[in-house]
Amino acid sequence: MCIRDRDKREQCKRSAISIHENRFIIAMDFNFLVFPSPKPSYTHSSFYGSVLYIPTDPYLWETTPPLVPFNQTFLLADKESACAVHGAYEASCIPCLFVPAKIPSNKILLHFHGNSEDAGGSKSLATTLRNYLNVNVLIVEYKGYGIYKGSPSASSILDDADLVFTYLICALRFKPEDILIFGRSIGSGPACYLSSKYSIHSLILMSAFTTLREVVKGIVGPLLKYMVADRFNNAEWLKTAKCPVFLVHGDMDKFVNAKHALELYKAVKGKRKLHIAETMTHDKLNAIADFITPLMTFYKEIGYEVVSNVRGYDASSDPTKKTTSKKESLYYFPI
């Protein structure tokens, strides 16, 4: 009996080790799927003159110009040479796509994109925000995405987000209250994180989630949700958000259920607005009807006067009366 019991214990131990190893492998697979690192949509030269290279070493901020010297007559080889000399090809710089305001503005919007697109893929939406809000826009790239070398992780995204925000204040002299932050899907993580630390102008969230674990739970069930690390606790961060918060979510979102948006809305203690768009999914929306119009209404309600540069748009009028063509307003965005 003792030998048999000992054999059973050894068998159980081996089974437990096997289960633990399989669980670890599954966890790694789920964590990898969170940051799929899509094929780059741009290069150093394709957005030459529009990429802001922010050194990860703050001691270099005063001596390293953020923009590679721009010259329209540069040949491709000249552009690549300038980037190499500047240090843009190294992981020692965070590449961010800069979309300047058409009318000079003292405000800037930090744009954190979704996890299946890079900074280049999110430029259309960023440009729409720039046009209607008349703000400068800085699209922050994630490590392992686009031209940013390295492996993506939640910690690297948060660290870079904090560094870029500090760079805007210390190096570019923006005031925290003049910084708007936008986060979409996975980008809601760094966006909520920064809003809990700093007194910014406002926070805009699209297709946001409470935590990554809850997203996994909605897809594969409550047991397997523990196979992914508990990252980006947006619901907890929003409890201490120091700014007005606008949330937009698709009622037809099959990836992140609209219940997430409702829970996030409840977590906000200050000024807030939640818009559930009936036909919006996780990757398809009518940019004007689903997003811009309710956003402008929210800003009007909290007393923020927007000086828009969109032709035919009157900031003092009801934005719901703004009409646009389908070609202008309909966009497709990856997750």
Side-chain angles (χ1 to χ4, degrees):
M1 291 291 293
C2 292
I3 295 176
R4 188 178 302 165
D5 289 343
R6 187 168 65 248
D7 291 342
K8 283 186 176 180
R9 283 197 298 271
E10 288 298 323
Q11 184 178 358
C12 288
K13 186 185 294 184
R14 286 194 297 271
S15 298
I17 293 174
S18 177
I19 291 173
H20 176 75
E21 289 176 345
N22 289 336
R23 180 179 296 174
F24 180 71
I25 292 173
I26 293 173
M28 289 185 68
D29 286 344
F30 276 159
N31 292 342
F32 174 76
L33 289 174
V34 171
F35 307 105
S37 299
K39 182 179 179 181
S41 67
Y42 66 103
T43 64
H44 289 276
S45 57
S46 63
F47 281 147
Y48 187 81
S50 297
V51 179
L52 200 69
Y53 296 95
I54 301 177
T56 55
D57 183 355
Y59 289 103
L60 299 177
W61 288 355
E62 291 187 2
T63 59
T64 305
L67 285 171
V68 174
F70 179 68
N71 189 326
Q72 290 280 13
T73 63
F74 273 3
L75 300 175
L76 177 60
D78 295 324
K79 293 179 180 179
E80 292 179 346
S81 176
C83 288
V85 172
H86 183 276
Y89 286 151
E90 305 300 325
S92 57
C93 288
I94 304 172
C96 303
L97 182 58
F98 182 61
V99 185
K102 287 189 174 181
I103 301 174
S105 172
N106 65 337
K107 290 182 170 53
I108 188 166
L109 182 145
L110 269 185
H111 187 292
F112 294 100
H113 60 75
N115 68 328
S116 287
E117 62 180 351
D118 58 18
S122 60
K123 187 180 179 182
S124 293
L125 181 58
T127 302
T128 298
L129 283 165
R130 184 277 305 269
N131 291 342
Y132 279 87
L133 299 181
N134 189 50
V135 293
N136 303 287
V137 178
L138 188 66
I139 309 173
V140 183
E141 193 58 284
Y142 307 146
K143 187 171 290 186
Y145 285 66
I147 57 176
Y148 192 3
K149 293 182 179 180
S151 299
S153 67
S155 59
S156 69
I157 290 177
L158 295 182
D159 289 344
D160 285 352
D162 218 342
L163 188 142
V164 171
F165 187 91
T166 305
Y167 182 84
L168 290 182
I169 296 173
C170 297
L172 300 187
R173 306 302 180 186
F174 280 96
K175 298 178 181 179
E177 59 268 27
D178 289 330
I179 300 176
L180 298 75
I181 298 181
F182 169 84
R184 179 170 181 268
S185 189
I186 200 73
S188 63
C192 290
Y193 169 72
L194 291 177
S195 73
S196 71
K197 292 188 64 177
Y198 304 102
S199 298
I200 61 174
H201 178 278
S202 55
L203 175 65
I204 306 168
L205 299 176
M206 176 184 287
S207 305
F209 51 81
T210 53
T211 68
L212 280 181
R213 270 189 178 172
E214 291 305 311
V215 175
V216 173
K217 175 184 176 181
I219 298 174
V220 299
L223 293 179
L224 290 180
K225 77 173 185 177
Y226 294 103
M227 298 299 109
V228 66
D230 193 11
R231 302 161 170 163
F232 295 153
N233 195 335
N234 293 340
E236 195 63 29
W237 285 330
L238 282 185
K239 291 180 181 179
T240 55
K242 301 173 175 61
C243 64
V245 180
F246 174 80
L247 304 99
V248 59
H249 211 103
D251 198 30
M252 297 179 64
D253 192 329
K254 304 300 182 184
F255 188 75
V256 180
N257 192 282
K259 293 180 180 179
H260 285 260
L262 181 59
E263 291 301 315
L264 293 175
Y265 174 80
K266 293 178 180 178
V268 179
K269 306 301 181 184
K271 296 178 180 179
R272 59 189 180 171
K273 185 180 184 68
L274 169 62
H275 177 69
I276 302 295
E278 293 183 2
T279 60
M280 175 180 165
T281 67
H282 196 74
D283 54 6
K284 292 182 181 179
L285 74 152
N286 184 301
I288 305 304
D290 296 338
F291 180 40
I292 294 298
T293 291
L295 174 62
M296 300 294 275
T297 301
F298 172 64
Y299 278 140
K300 185 177 181 180
E301 291 171 352
I302 65 174
Y304 172 47
E305 183 178 353
V306 178
V307 182
S308 176
N309 56 36
V310 176
R311 181 180 300 177
Y313 178 75
D314 180 3
S316 64
S317 65
D318 185 353
T320 59
K321 297 179 181 179
K322 172 73 172 69
T323 58
T324 57
S325 65
K326 290 185 177 181
K327 183 178 180 181
E328 176 187 357
S329 63
L330 190 60
Y331 291 103
Y332 169 83
F333 302 108
I335 293 173

